[in-house]
Amino acid sequence: MGKFITFEGIEGSGKTTQIRAMGDFLRRRHISFLVTEEPGGTPLGRKIRKILLNRGTFELSDKAELLLFSAARAQHVKDIIVPALKEGKVILCDRFSDATIAYQGFGRGFSLDFIRLLNEFSTNGIRPDLTIVLDLPVKIGVKRAMERIFQKKEEEPEDRFEREHLSFHEKIRKGYLSLAKHAPERFRIIDALKDIETVQKEVQFHVMEFIKG
Ligand code: Z5A
């Protein structure tokens, strides 16, 4: 079986940057890996991602949002995660079921028990083996994310969540730290305020320690 590693954190915490660097590191060591993301990772997931992250012209209810993330995850697990695990790959996944607990549970206020049940249903009980949380103050994370969005200059920017109040992002950060506190065997928290190279060294350390196991 492969190894399922997820990267979590508030927006702009550096997940994409670190996953890319970790992929390069594994490639140089000839370790077979797969990079994927949620929402996304499959053709259906990418369509759902557009609905969820672009501002759009219609309102999305909190319930519809929760179910769309779950629908994308169900397809992602079936088409991408399970086959890659069977092939023995190391999976580097940008967000997974913990994101739903953090955003829709701690952030939007849905029952955590209900979300856990929904997560079990959409994942068939598949959970990450290791979860890296990149932690930093929300003001800095949102600033980094907005700068990246402006740099990209997309016609339909993926900024629906970044436009939430800072208090929403504070709840997400607290949510991740609470999840990590309750499952220290799976979570590793990294201070994402440090420079990119220092963060990368810490990510490498935890990932390689886990892989060598
Ligand atoms: N969401 C949800 O609500 N429920 C769910 O179940 C799931 C997701 C799965 C999409 O996630 C949104 O969906 C997300 C939660 C919600 N909310 N939002 N927005 P996403 O992962 O696709 O989007 P994101 O979190 O906004 O990703 P991001 O903005 O791309 O952030 P990132 O990947 O963590 O950061 P980055 O792109 O690597 O870095 C951002 C910028 O900071 C970039 O210019 C870097 O060069 C810079 N950077 C990175 N690291 C550093 C350090 N260490 N120092 C200085 N600058 C840095």
Side-chain angles (χ1 to χ4, degrees), residues 179-195:
L179 285 172
K181 194 174 163 201
H182 288 97
E185 68 292 345
R186 170 159 74 87
F187 283 88
R188 303 289 178 273
I189 299 175
I190 293 179
D191 178 3
L193 262 184
K194 294 180 183 165
D195 63 83

Side-chain angles (χ1 to χ4, degrees), residues 51-83:
I51 296 171
L52 283 165
L53 302 193
N54 297 144
R55 247 174 278 178
T57 52
F58 53 86
E59 286 295 313
L60 195 59
S61 76
D62 290 352
K63 283 189 184 178
E65 177 188 280
L66 169 64
L67 294 171
L68 283 169
F69 277 117
S70 298
R73 179 161 309 127
Q75 196 72 36
H76 188 218
V77 167
K78 177 178 172 287
D79 291 353
I80 306 291
I81 304 292
V82 170

Side-chain angles (χ1 to χ4, degrees), residues 10-17 38-39 49 53 69 73 94-96 99-100 103-104 144-145 148 161-162 192 194-196 199:
I10 60 161
E11 13 280 286
S13 52
K15 299 178 287 14
T16 312
T17 306
E38 288 202 0
R49 184 180 176 91
L53 302 193
F69 277 117
R73 179 161 309 127
D94 195 336
R95 298 195 188 279
F96 194 64
T100 315
Y103 280 81
Q104 281 64 49
R144 281 187 195 168
R148 184 189 43 73
F161 281 88
E162 280 80 357
K194 294 180 183 165
D195 63 83
I196 292 177
V199 176

Side-chain angles (χ1 to χ4, degrees), residues 117-134:
L117 200 66
L118 196 58
N119 279 345
E120 284 292 305
F121 179 72
S122 52
T123 63
N124 278 334
I126 288 185
R127 292 179 192 173
D129 300 307
L130 174 72
T131 298
I132 306 275
V133 175
L134 298 174

